[in-house]
């Protein structure tokens, strides 16, 4: 199997796991969202530590300890992903899977907004149109819900900010994920210990299957992230960007078809506007990528241009 084909397979597997993740989160009931989050952090550290031991990749820790600014950036990334995980678990366990899907649909558009406001990037008219349509969509959904879709907006904002921090850090996926999880492990262990002391822990108290599911939360969290890292190293960024919609599409379908969450006409209209904005944004991005590739080929010597095609 070629490396390119492996990359597409890894990406499809990662986004599919993320798409069906609400089903796994539901299996962790009656654990409360904060307890699930704490177990997810602790078992992620254990799982990734095992992986790094197998591949003998511990030297990076010495490098990180000598770079306090890098450690500060990883700590910020850890805080952002903790907010994202916590809000996602809360959304799923409060029967708002469709709203969590909305958060990951509008995530790319929030990334564009961060690029404009923080990185001072310039947008083309099509991208501005996509942002405008998404703003109208949020307004429509606010009217339908009777409130701001705060779960969706929190998920989009936290993951977009996390992605921005990760992009600036530029660290290997597994190693960075271990340090991020380790930064959260102490408060997570403290919370789990307090739950045991208060008699409120569900770990080992519900059933063997429930206990195993909590213990596997680390593997369930880390596996798609490592698959995603493998895909990012093998396939074009434009292909990876288009495939990212597999996750929220599956989450949306899970919420509507599996958990039977309501989808009134006004809410469906709001989602339709989001999808329209994403179509405009994606088509514009593909067009820009093709134009950039054509310019690069035009400036290459003939043999290199033929190889690039």
């Amino acid at each position: 199997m070629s490396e390119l084909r492996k990359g597409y397979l890894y990406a499809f597997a990662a986004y599919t796991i993320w798409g069906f993740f609400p089903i796994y989160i539901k299996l962790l009931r009656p654990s409360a969202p904060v307890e699930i989050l704490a177990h997810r952090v602790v078992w992620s550290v254990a799982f990734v530590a095992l992986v790094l031991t197998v591949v003998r990749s511990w030297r990076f820790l010495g490098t990180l300890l000598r770079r306090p600014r890098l450690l500060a950036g990883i700590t910020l990334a850890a805080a952002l992903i903790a907010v994202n995980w916590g809000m996602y678990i809360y959304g799923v366990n409060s029967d708002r899977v469709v709203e969590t899907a909305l958060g990951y649909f509008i995530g790319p558009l929030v990334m564009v907004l961060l690029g404009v406001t923080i990185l001072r990037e310039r947008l083309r008219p099509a991208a501005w149109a996509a942002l405008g349509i998404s703003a109208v969509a949020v307004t429509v959904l606010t009217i339908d819900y009777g409130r701001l879709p705060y779960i969706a907006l929190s998920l989009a904002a936290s993951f977009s900010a996390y992605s921005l921090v990760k992009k600036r850090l530029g660290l290997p996926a597994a190693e960075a994920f271990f340090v991020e999880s380790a930064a959260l492990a102490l408060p997570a262990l403290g919370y789990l210990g307090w739950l045991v002391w208060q008699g409120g822990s569900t770990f080992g108290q519900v059933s063997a299957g429930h206990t195993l599911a909590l213990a596997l939360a680390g593997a369930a969290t880390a596996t798609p992230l490592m698959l995603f890292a493998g895909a990012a190293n093998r396939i074009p960024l434009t292909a990876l960007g288009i495939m990212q919609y597999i996750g929220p599409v599956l989450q949306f379908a899970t919420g509507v078809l599996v958990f039977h969450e309501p989808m009134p006409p006004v809410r469906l209209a709001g989602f339709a506007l989001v999808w329209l904005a994403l179509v405009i944004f994606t088509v514009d991005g593909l067009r820009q990528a093709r134009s950039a590739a054509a310019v690069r080929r035009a400036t290459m010597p003939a043999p290199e241009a033929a190889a690039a095609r």
Side-chain angles (χ1 to χ4, degrees):
M1 183 183 294
S2 68
E3 290 300 307
L4 184 65
R5 188 167 296 180
K6 281 183 183 178
Y8 281 108
L9 183 62
Y10 290 161
F12 181 78
Y15 288 128
T16 300
I17 292 171
W18 280 327
F20 289 117
F21 212 73
I23 297 174
Y24 179 80
I25 296 296
K26 293 274 191 181
L27 293 176
L28 302 181
R29 288 177 170 179
S31 300
V34 179
E35 183 182 5
I36 295 172
L37 174 62
H39 276 288
R40 193 174 180 182
V41 168
V42 171
W43 293 108
S44 291
V45 173
F47 178 77
V48 181
L50 178 62
V51 171
L52 293 176
T53 300
V54 170
V55 300
R56 299 180 181 180
S57 184
W58 285 105
R59 292 183 179 178
F60 72 99
L61 281 177
T63 303
L64 287 179
L65 291 175
R66 293 191 295 270
R67 300 175 65 183
R69 291 186 64 182
L70 194 58
L71 280 173
I74 293 175
T75 303
L76 175 59
L80 290 169
I81 201 62
V83 170
N84 184 267
W85 287 354
M87 189 58 70
Y88 181 78
I89 295 166
Y90 170 74
V92 171
N93 278 349
S94 59
D95 300 321
R96 300 177 191 174
V97 174
V98 169
E99 190 174 343
T100 66
L102 174 65
Y104 292 108
F105 274 126
I106 65 177
L109 300 171
V110 174
M111 278 292 292
V112 172
L113 192 59
L114 286 178
V116 173
T117 56
I118 296 177
L119 302 180
R120 304 297 181 187
E121 295 177 353
R122 298 181 64 182
L123 294 186
R124 296 172 305 282
W128 280 114
L131 286 175
I133 293 171
S134 65
V136 174
V138 170
T139 302
V140 170
L141 290 166
T142 299
I143 294 171
D144 174 68
Y145 284 118
R147 57 170 174 79
L148 271 174
Y150 63 90
I151 292 176
L153 294 175
S154 299
L155 287 173
S158 59
F159 193 74
S160 298
Y162 171 76
S163 300
L164 180 62
V165 172
K166 293 278 284 184
K167 179 179 175 61
R168 289 193 165 185
L169 293 176
L171 296 173
E175 288 85 345
F177 180 66
F178 172 79
V179 179
E180 290 165 18
S181 301
L184 301 170
L186 189 59
L189 282 170
Y191 177 77
L192 292 176
W194 178 81
L195 272 184
V196 172
W197 183 62
Q198 292 288 322
S201 174
T202 61
F203 188 76
Q205 304 298 316
V206 178
S207 67
H210 177 268
T211 301
L212 180 62
L214 278 175
L216 289 175
T221 298
T223 299
L225 283 171
M226 289 190 289
L227 286 169
F228 176 80
N233 292 332
R234 289 173 172 85
I235 66 176
L237 188 61
T238 50
L240 196 64
I242 293 171
M243 291 183 74
Q244 73 179 317
Y245 300 124
I246 293 173
V249 165
L250 291 175
Q251 288 178 27
F252 179 85
T254 300
V256 174
L257 301 177
V258 178
F259 300 126
H260 306 291
E261 294 185 11
M263 184 53 59
V266 176
R267 190 171 305 172
L268 186 59
F271 270 87
L273 286 170
V274 171
W275 296 330
L276 174 61
L278 289 174
V279 168
I280 293 172
F281 176 70
T282 303
V283 170
D284 181 60
L286 287 172
R287 187 177 300 154
Q288 184 193 25
R290 288 173 182 169
S291 298
V295 170
R296 286 196 300 270
R297 287 196 300 269
T299 58
M300 287 180 182
E304 293 182 17
R309 281 195 293 271

